[in-house]
């Protein structure tokens, strides 16, 4: 009887101390220099962007939740003219994170686009904790903090950071950016971390700058959730997607890019039963007011960025592309970009510049901004950023004719095979648009009625068929240099030109375009077509295309896009659908 009484008293005692702890985690990711709700590349406001809007949500949520944790998931200090402020002791984007009292900053891949000293300086300048569990120094220690366990109202919450492991490939042309570092596979890093923190946490949170799938067939957050159901919630990044999912009992969430959303994860933990409930949602910023204090403090960033963006560096003599959207003819790309279906002066200009500076036989470049165009009038810096979105540098490599053709076939994988009855050409949803390169200095045709790997025909350089055994000079950007290394089509020793090594920041492709126009073209930007490539066995003049235009504009037919919205036109429209 006494034992029963003691047991009851013990239970009553436990219940009296039992409580449910509510923990709220807010995450931003892929801000890419969007301090303000403004896109400096096109010199226009962006209502769904900017830390100035994110700040309003953060302050509202903090007022409602005492146990609030704030995290940024990387790709923070690059793009949108952010590089104008790289010389500041602490970059304005990092200052903004500090002002908003961010607890964590996970390193993304674009954090490594600049000198290592720049990154280290901003890591030191961040007042929270910089996370990544899979970046290892030569001495075996992690480059930054791999994980943090916070005691939140009596609940032990572990936060684990992760960075894409492919930086040595993406930054292959600038190895000094990651000197002394190696990047291990995410699953291996998670395994190591879980062993180290076993029994030391109640709630496990992933802060991963990783998409749902990995572009190199590694582990995305889907696979990581399958492998490690110990996680209660994983905040994703890198993919620029907006989603809330559950895989293997693990809640997954990503807030898109540029500050368009703030990801909110809410975890309720029962301190007696140890039961947990997890809910998640994305809070859009589009209709949120901007934080006036932050706008005032960083006004100098906005002013300098706009002034730089609008600096006139030449004159566009004629509009380059009359119908940027292939179906509607409009400026906004809602169906498919004309520039990915046929040769356009925009891509010719980029490749012409690359070929000039690399003194190459052939050049290749991708369409980074689907709506890329140059319109008649003043040629400003913002126009260059509009047609060339990234701060890539230029490389020149030696490549055999055989491997050049393999590279061209790899690029042509972008197209779905054209089947009988298809009215439109469509794109493989598993191939990003920035991985479709168009070539210059070589004449060729693409037959997309043929299967992948057999599409490049009649490839000639200077009127002669490509000699598989001959070595040609090829101009590519530093990102594609890493791709070709991974594909085994070139070796590091094949590099013969590096614009960054020669010109430092002036060697970025954007700056080379301006240098070429001002020094070689007397400031005149004129559309030119070489007519060196085309898609064959497709009727670009099919009268049904005009009927399709009417049905698309009326909303009767919608061109299919990928589930994440990043790849347009992933399935061909059949002639029968229009007839």
């Amino acid at each position: 009887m006494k034992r029963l009484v003691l047991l009851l008293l013990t239970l009553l005692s436990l219940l009296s101390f039992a409580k449910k702890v509510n923990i709220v985690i807010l995450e931003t990711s892929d801000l890419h220099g969007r301090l303000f709700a403004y896109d400096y590349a096109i010199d226009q406001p962006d209502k769904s962007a900017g830390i100035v809007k994110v700040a309003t949500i953060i302050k509202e949520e903090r007022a409602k939740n005492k146990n609030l944790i704030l995290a940024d998931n990387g790709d923070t200090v690059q793009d949108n003219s952010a590089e104008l402020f790289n010389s500041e002791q602490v970059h304005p984007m990092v200052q903004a994170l500090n002002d908003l009292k961010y607890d964590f900053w996970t390193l993304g891949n674009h954090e490594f686009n600049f000198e290592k000293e720049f990154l280290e300086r901003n890591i030191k300048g961040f007042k929270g904790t910089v996370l990544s569990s899979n970046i290892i120094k030569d001495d075996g220690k992690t480059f930054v903090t791999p994980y943090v366990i916070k005691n939140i109202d009596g609940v032990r919450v572990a936060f684990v950071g992760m960075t894409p492991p492919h930086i040595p490939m993406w930054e292959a042309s600038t190895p000094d950016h990651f000197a002394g570092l190696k990047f291990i596979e995410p699953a291996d890093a998670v395994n190591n971390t879980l062993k180290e923190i076993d029994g030391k946490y109640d709630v496990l949170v992933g802060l991963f700058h990783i998409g749902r799938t990995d572009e190199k067939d590694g582990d995305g957050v889907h696979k990581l959730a399958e492998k490690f159901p110990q996680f209660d919630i994983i905040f994703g990044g890198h993919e620029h997607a907006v989603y809330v999912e559950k895989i293997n009992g693990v809640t997954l969430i990503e807030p898109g890019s540029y500050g368009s959303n703030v990801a909110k994860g809410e975890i309720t933990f029962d301190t007696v039963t140890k039961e947990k409930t997890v809910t998640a949602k994305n809070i859009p910023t589009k209709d949120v007011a901007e934080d006036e204090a932050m706008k005032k403090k960083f006004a100098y960033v906005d002013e300098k960025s706009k002034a730089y963006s609008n600096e006139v560096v030449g004159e566009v003599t004629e509009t380059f592309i009359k119908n940027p959207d292939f179906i509607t003819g409009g400026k906004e790309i809602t169906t498919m970009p004309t520039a990915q279906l046929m040769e356009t002066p925009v891509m010719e200009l980029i490749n012409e510049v690359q070929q000039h500076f690399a003194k190459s036989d052939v050049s290749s470049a991708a369409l980074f901004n689907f709506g890329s165009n140059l319109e008649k009038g003043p040629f400003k810096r913002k126009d260059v950023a509009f047609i060339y979105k990234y701060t890539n540098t230029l490389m020149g490599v030696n490549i055999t004719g055989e491997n050049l053709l393999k590279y061209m076939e790899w690029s042509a994988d972008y197209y779905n095979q054209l089947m009988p009855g298809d009215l439109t050409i469509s794109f493989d949803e598993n191939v990003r648009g920035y991985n479709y390169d168009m070539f210059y200095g070589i004449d060729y045709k693409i037959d997309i009625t043929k299967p992948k790997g057999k599409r490049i025909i009649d490839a000639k350089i200077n009127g002669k068929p490509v000699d598989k055994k001959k070595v040609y000079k090829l101009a590519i950007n530093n990102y594609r240099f890493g791709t070709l290394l991974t594909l085994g089509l070139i070796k590091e020793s094949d590099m013969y030109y590096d614009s960054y090594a020669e010109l430092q920041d002036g060697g970025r492709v954007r700056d080379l375009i301006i240098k070429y126009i001002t020094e070689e073209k007397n400031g005149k930007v004129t559309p030119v077509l070489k007519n060196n490539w085309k898609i064959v066995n497709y009727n670009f003049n099919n009268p049904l295309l005009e009927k399709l235009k009417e049905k698309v504009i009326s909303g009767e037919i919608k061109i299919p896009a990928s589930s994440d919205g990043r790849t347009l036109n992933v399935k061909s429209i059949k002639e029968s659908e229009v007839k």
Side-chain angles (χ1 to χ4, degrees), residues 87-122:
S87 62
E88 293 192 16
Q89 186 59 36
V90 179
H91 194 279
M93 290 295 292
V94 177
Q95 290 182 42
L97 299 187
N98 287 338
D99 289 351
L100 291 169
K101 297 180 172 58
Y102 271 72
D103 297 278
F104 301 115
W105 174 27
T106 302
L107 296 180
N109 51 292
H110 281 290
E111 263 68 66
F112 291 86
N113 282 173
F114 309 103
E115 292 80 2
K116 193 179 175 189
E117 182 275 333
F118 164 78
L119 177 56
E120 291 175 332
R121 173 163 35 93
N122 282 283

Side-chain angles (χ1 to χ4, degrees), residues 58-76:
I58 289 171
K59 291 177 181 180
E60 289 175 354
E61 290 292 328
R62 183 166 272 141
K64 294 185 292 185
N65 304 285
K66 67 170 185 173
N67 295 328
L68 186 136
I69 299 295
L70 190 54
D72 182 76
N73 238 5
D75 279 7
T76 309

Side-chain angles (χ1 to χ4, degrees), residues 222-515:
H222 275 182
K223 286 185 179 178
L224 292 171
E226 290 286 357
K227 292 178 179 179
F228 303 104
Q230 298 97 318
F231 281 94
D232 296 292
I233 186 168
I234 296 176
F235 291 87
H238 187 60
E239 191 181 340
H240 291 205
V242 181
Y243 62 81
V244 177
E245 299 178 355
K246 186 159 278 194
I247 299 286
N248 199 24
V250 182
T251 299
L252 309 175
I253 183 170
E254 184 179 346
S257 57
Y258 307 156
S260 61
N261 291 271
V262 176
K264 179 180 179 180
E266 195 161 357
I267 303 161
T268 302
F269 183 82
D270 190 308
T271 58
V272 172
T273 65
K274 309 300 181 184
E275 290 181 354
K276 291 172 275 191
T277 59
V278 181
T279 58
K281 67 176 182 179
N282 279 302
I283 306 171
T285 61
K286 183 177 181 180
D287 298 321
V288 172
E290 298 174 343
D291 184 87
E292 291 300 324
M294 184 160 281
K295 280 181 67 177
K296 184 177 180 180
K297 176 174 181 177
F298 293 103
Y300 78 96
V301 172
D302 186 53
E303 292 165 5
K304 183 174 180 178
S305 298
K306 285 176 180 174
Y308 186 81
S309 176
N310 282 282
E311 184 181 334
V312 176
V313 292
E315 178 191 0
V316 180
T317 59
E318 293 292 337
T319 297
F320 273 47
I321 305 176
K322 306 297 184 184
N323 59 328
D325 186 278
F326 180 68
I327 298 298
T328 69
K331 292 182 181 180
E332 184 181 355
I333 309 301
T334 58
T335 66
M336 57 200 80
T338 296
Q340 285 181 312
L341 300 174
M342 61 183 67
E343 181 186 352
T344 62
V346 170
M347 296 310 301
E348 295 290 89
L349 172 62
I350 294 168
N351 271 318
E352 183 181 345
V353 170
Q354 291 189 168
Q355 186 185 54
H356 172 81
F357 285 100
K359 296 180 173 57
S360 65
D361 303 302
V362 179
S363 175
S364 68
L367 185 72
F368 295 145
N369 181 345
F370 291 158
S372 291
N373 199 7
L374 292 174
E375 296 189 356
K376 185 176 180 179
F379 183 52
K380 301 178 180 180
R381 287 189 182 277
K382 68 182 181 183
D383 299 318
V384 182
F386 185 58
I387 66 171
Y388 203 93
K389 183 178 180 180
Y390 299 112
T391 55
N392 292 329
T393 56
L394 179 63
M395 316 290 292
V397 298
N398 293 309
I399 189 170
T400 64
E402 180 179 13
N403 286 345
L404 174 61
L405 292 172
K406 287 180 179 178
Y407 168 30
M408 295 173 75
E409 289 286 3
W410 171 86
S411 180
D413 283 356
Y414 181 59
Y415 299 108
N416 289 323
Q417 188 171 359
L418 193 71
M419 306 304 289
D422 285 349
L423 174 60
T424 61
I425 296 168
S426 63
F427 311 138
D428 186 332
E429 66 177 317
N430 296 312
V431 180
R432 296 296 188 202
Y434 54 72
N435 278 330
Y436 173 56
D437 291 347
M438 286 157 268
F439 296 80
Y440 181 89
I442 180 170
D443 297 311
Y444 65 104
K445 301 179 181 71
I446 307 174
D447 187 349
I448 57 174
T449 65
K450 294 182 178 181
K452 293 183 176 184
K454 298 181 179 180
R455 294 175 171 174
I456 302 298
I457 56 177
D458 297 335
K460 296 178 181 178
I461 297 176
N462 296 325
K464 297 179 180 179
V466 173
D467 185 338
K468 290 186 177 182
K469 295 183 178 180
K470 184 176 178 179
V471 174
Y472 297 95
K473 294 188 179 301
L474 170 68
I476 51 177
N477 67 41
N478 62 302
Y479 178 87
R480 189 62 73 232
F481 178 77
T483 305
L484 296 189
L485 284 175
T486 301
L487 293 173
L489 300 179
I490 59 171
K491 302 183 297 295
E492 290 192 22
S493 59
D494 289 321
M495 182 183 69
Y496 69 85
Y497 175 76
D498 178 354
S499 67
Y500 189 79
E502 184 171 309
L503 301 167
Q504 298 302 297
D505 285 344
R508 303 192 188 281
V509 176
R510 287 179 183 175
D511 296 282
L512 296 179
I513 292 171
I514 293 173
K515 183 178 175 69

